[in-house]
Amino acid sequence: MRYLIVVFGILGSIYGCTGTYKNEPHQEVKVIRKGSVILLKPDKLDLYKDLHANPWKSVNEKLKECNIRNYSIFYRDGYLFSYLEYTGTNWEADMGKLAADSTILAWWKLTDPCQEPVPFARKGEWWADMEEVYHLD
Amino acid sequence: MRYLIVVFGILGSIYGCTGTYKNEPHQEVKVIRKGSVILLKPDKLDLYKDLHANPWKSVNEKLKECNIRNYSIFYRDGYLFSYLEYTGTNWEADMGKLAADSTILAWWKLTDPCQEPVPFARKGEWWADMEEVYHLD
């Protein structure tokens, strides 16, 4: 996931899609929706699924602290697709905070070897950022 | 999208992932999250993007009437990924209602020829249903 964050840092402004979200009466939070894709190595499927079925509480807490919410990862035949919503106001700063956290780094040390970029990923891109072409609130 | 609905009708119970969502104080709506993938024909990219950048109001209205919301389609290098949330209580009935609507049928007549199933799609599967392997509220 570390490269997802690097890539989003670079491309967030291109592909980030925004909306608003009511979480309290009369209060709207600006939401940036992000979609991305990566490959999962076939021999790592069980490990990856086990890790994500039982994610570390500290990882989830840190993600939330960094304003990530409604975050899902989907799998099918070697492909992982990630969908998340960012509700903060400084994506780069929040991603920097994530990338500096020792728990997150320990988690990525387990998950990174499970993945490999799609063949069409750009140089240095890990999770390949996708463009939102349709949205219905 | 029509096959998405057929497939979801069959596989929804396998891959549908649920959560709750507060949309009013003290009221929680059960949410089923769905992810799926399909290919977009390269020569149809512009048409598909144009259609979805300016979706028919009647299509959006019908989707909402059928309890679909927070629905996004993402694109990258030939791949389309769909993420949506279903808030109704009878997926099959709602999908049947969609598939019987003349506006939806007219829309699919334009969008279906833009797409083709991924090579690993099951027989009869159009959008390939994905499994949610991780979720953070």
Side-chain angles (χ1 to χ4, degrees):
Chain A
M1 193 165 72
R2 79 199 302 174
Y3 293 92
L4 173 147
I5 283 158
V6 173
V7 167
F8 278 169
I10 299 164
L11 298 174
S13 58
I14 301 171
Y15 283 147
C17 300
T18 63
T20 55
Y21 177 83
K22 288 182 188 175
N23 67 342
E24 296 291 338
H26 314 302
Q27 186 194 341
E28 289 201 340
V29 175
K30 190 178 169 191
V31 171
I32 298 174
R33 295 178 298 277
K34 306 259 189 189
S36 60
V37 60
I38 201 164
L39 301 178
L40 181 61
K41 294 176 187 168
D43 62 325
K44 304 288 188 180
L45 174 59
D46 291 342
L47 170 62
Y48 194 86
K49 284 178 75 169
D50 284 350
L51 283 168
H52 288 82
N54 304 287
W56 302 347
K57 198 180 165 200
S58 51
V59 165
N60 279 354
E61 282 171 354
K62 198 72 192 175
L63 289 168
K64 290 201 130 184
E65 191 187 316
C66 292
N67 299 303
I68 288 174
R69 72 102 207 265
N70 203 20
Y71 179 15
S72 289
I73 299 176
F74 294 89
Y75 173 79
R76 175 73 185 262
D77 285 270
Y79 288 82
L80 290 170
F81 177 87
S82 158
Y83 172 86
L84 63 84
E85 294 168 3
Y86 176 70
T87 57
T89 54
N90 190 332
W91 173 263
E92 285 75 14
D94 277 331
M95 294 310 102
K97 201 155 79 177
L98 265 188
D101 182 77
S102 59
T103 305
I104 295 290
L105 290 171
W107 178 258
W108 288 347
K109 204 167 172 180
L110 293 174
T111 59
D112 278 3
C114 298
Q115 305 163 326
E116 60 183 337
V118 288
F120 47 79
R122 297 183 193 93
K123 194 179 173 185
E125 200 178 34
W126 191 248
W127 281 87
D129 209 17
M130 302 183 84
E131 178 187 2
E132 189 186 55
V133 295
Y134 171 74
H135 181 71
L136 172 74
D137 273 341
Chain B
M1 192 164 75
R2 79 197 303 169
Y3 293 92
L4 174 148
I5 283 156
V6 172
V7 167
F8 279 166
I10 298 164
L11 299 174
S13 57
I14 301 171
Y15 284 149
C17 301
T18 62
T20 55
Y21 177 85
K22 288 182 186 174
N23 68 342
E24 295 292 337
H26 314 302
Q27 186 193 342
E28 289 200 342
V29 176
K30 190 178 169 191
V31 171
I32 298 174
R33 295 178 299 275
K34 305 259 191 189
S36 59
V37 61
I38 200 165
L39 300 178
L40 181 61
K41 295 176 186 167
D43 61 323
K44 303 288 189 183
L45 174 59
D46 290 343
L47 170 62
Y48 194 85
K49 283 178 74 169
D50 283 350
L51 283 167
H52 288 80
N54 305 287
W56 302 346
K57 197 179 165 200
S58 52
V59 166
N60 280 354
E61 281 171 355
K62 198 72 192 175
L63 289 168
K64 290 201 128 182
E65 191 188 314
C66 292
N67 299 304
I68 288 174
R69 71 102 207 265
N70 202 20
Y71 179 13
S72 289
I73 299 176
F74 295 89
Y75 172 79
R76 175 73 186 262
D77 284 271
Y79 289 83
L80 291 170
F81 175 85
S82 158
Y83 172 87
L84 64 82
E85 294 168 3
Y86 176 70
T87 57
T89 55
N90 191 333
W91 173 262
E92 284 74 13
D94 277 329
M95 294 309 102
K97 201 156 75 176
L98 265 188
D101 182 76
S102 59
T103 305
I104 294 289
L105 291 171
W107 178 257
W108 289 346
K109 204 168 173 181
L110 294 175
T111 59
D112 278 5
C114 299
Q115 305 164 326
E116 60 182 336
V118 287
F120 47 80
R122 298 184 192 91
K123 194 178 172 185
E125 199 179 33
W126 191 247
W127 282 88
D129 208 16
M130 302 184 85
E131 177 188 3
E132 190 187 55
V133 294
Y134 171 75
H135 180 70
L136 172 72
D137 274 339

